Amino acid sequence: MTHTSSVGPVADAGPTEVIERAAEAELLEAALLSGAHVLLEGPPGTGKSTLLRQVATGRRIAFVMVEGNAELTPARLIGHFDPALVLTKGYVPDIFADGPLLEAMRTGGLLYVEELNRIPEETLNVLLTAMSELEITVPRLGRVAAAPGFALVAAMNPFDAVGTARVSGALYDRTCRISMDYQTAEAEQEIVGLRTRDIDPTWRARVVELVRSTRDHDDIRFGSSVRGAIDVARLSVELARLRGTTTDDWHVGLAAAKAALSGRIRLHDGCDRTPEQVVTALYVAVFGAEPSESDRDPASDSDASPGSPGEP
């Protein structure tokens, strides 16, 4: 289990501008100012973490982030006494190492839990107590009350059923829910533009179109987020440099798309194609067929390597 924290402005973690999320940012800030806890729901790559970082930075409040997974036990969330010092000092408060929950409570900060629906039920119960009572009782340490400003903001992808658990109604009853779906094509093009350099806008738009097409394909259960488009663009730039060609080279784009997207999509059970084959089909639909294919001698197709550049 890992967690990060900061007090005041959040440490730079790359571009933090939230594109096309003004309404969600306003709603999140209003919820936190009202003292509510918040649940951000949406697919990966829709800006949930970036949105919260922006709000926390603007309010200059402590921010503690923890990754939700099966290893996030109550002890790791709350904290623990140093075993070595217990032998010499006993269970005294000054040898207790705060976990992310107590760190956020003591500082009156935000506790951000990613992938909430992946944490164990007993850990979720600890969070519910802290949310409801604004205090918890830790064995041998005693009562810990939350400082003013403490709030839980949790995020989860409600569409991912692998390795997740159903979130109870008790949590929904204690949170304000903000739904975050994919942004528009124009917004995603702007996001990719912020994270890449020297990319032709027309070609970048087609990369975004490719990635967005993974979200409504008959063979695909879950498509790629905008992170896939960012990686396709970045890979294309570097691969073109290594091959001594241009970024918009058809073969460069296909290789980058297969590498960036084949692991991000999830196919329906029973699909008889590989992720690479599905990505290739989508790539052809957006970027067109392989250049010069119509000029080839059909008799030589069986001898040619698919996707090899410069085949006459």
Side-chain angles (χ1 to χ4, degrees):
M1 186 274 295
T2 59
H3 80 274
T4 59
S5 64
S6 64
V7 178
V10 180
D12 182 25
T16 57
E17 182 180 353
V18 182
I19 306 299
E20 206 178 72
R21 292 297 188 200
E24 290 87 348
E26 182 182 52
L27 192 56
L28 174 59
E29 184 162 9
L32 294 175
L33 288 171
S34 73
H37 305 288
V38 180
L39 177 62
L40 302 176
E41 278 195 9
T46 49
K48 297 185 290 294
S49 299
T50 307
L51 175 67
L52 181 58
R53 285 183 181 276
Q54 177 177 282
V55 171
T57 300
R59 294 182 60 197
R60 302 183 68 84
I61 55 178
F63 178 93
V64 183
M65 185 171 111
V66 60
E67 179 184 349
N69 54 47
E71 297 180 356
L72 184 60
T73 62
R76 291 185 172 184
L77 181 68
I78 296 171
H80 63 277
F81 286 97
D82 187 318
L85 294 178
V86 165
L87 295 175
T88 56
K89 294 187 175 183
Y91 291 98
V92 293
D94 62 345
I95 65 168
F96 189 87
D98 287 349
L101 174 58
L102 261 62
E103 183 179 348
M105 292 179 68
R106 291 188 199 273
T107 58
L110 300 180
L111 175 65
Y112 178 52
V113 181
E114 290 193 304
E115 306 290 349
L116 178 73
N117 49 346
R118 295 183 181 275
I119 68 175
E121 183 178 0
E122 59 270 22
T123 306
L124 181 58
N125 290 335
V126 172
L127 288 174
L128 289 173
T129 299
M131 293 162 64
S132 299
E133 308 298 331
L134 295 180
E135 65 177 43
I136 61 171
T137 300
V138 182
R140 298 190 176 94
L141 181 65
R143 173 180 171 271
V144 178
F150 165 73
L152 169 76
V153 179
M156 70 178 196
N157 173 14
F159 309 109
D160 189 358
V162 179
T164 63
R166 181 177 176 273
V167 174
S168 70
L171 185 127
Y172 281 110
D173 188 52
R174 289 166 173 79
T175 57
C176 292
R177 175 180 173 273
I178 300 177
S179 177
M180 298 178 62
D181 202 351
Y182 291 113
Q183 289 133 302
T184 63
E186 292 75 15
E188 293 195 342
Q189 290 168 29
E190 187 174 351
I191 292 169
V192 176
L194 287 172
R195 289 159 175 79
T196 56
R197 64 184 189 279
D198 301 326
I199 297 291
D200 175 67
T202 301
W203 181 82
R204 183 178 67 215
R206 295 171 78 184
V207 170
V208 170
E209 181 185 353
L210 168 66
V211 169
R212 291 176 68 85
S213 71
T214 67
R215 301 170 193 165
D216 55 10
H217 190 274
D218 290 342
D219 287 337
I220 300 176
R221 183 161 51 97
F222 296 117
S224 171
S225 73
V226 70
R227 295 190 189 108
I230 294 169
D231 278 354
V232 171
R234 288 175 171 173
L235 278 173
S236 294
V237 169
E238 297 304 328
L239 192 57
R241 182 179 61 81
L242 292 173
R243 292 185 179 182
T245 185
T246 58
T247 301
D248 61 355
D249 179 279
W250 190 92
H251 299 94
V252 164
L254 177 60
K258 288 195 288 188
L261 302 180
S262 61
R264 283 184 162 97
I265 63 174
R266 294 292 181 270
L267 303 182
H268 286 292
D269 294 339
C271 178
D272 60 358
R273 294 197 288 178
T274 66
E276 289 79 7
Q277 289 172 328
V278 173
V279 169
T280 299
L282 291 173
Y283 184 85
V284 170
V286 173
F287 288 89
E290 182 179 4
S292 302
E293 187 176 37
S294 60
D295 297 331
R296 288 183 181 176
D297 179 1
S300 67
D301 283 352
S302 59
D303 298 327
S305 299
S308 56
E311 285 291 340

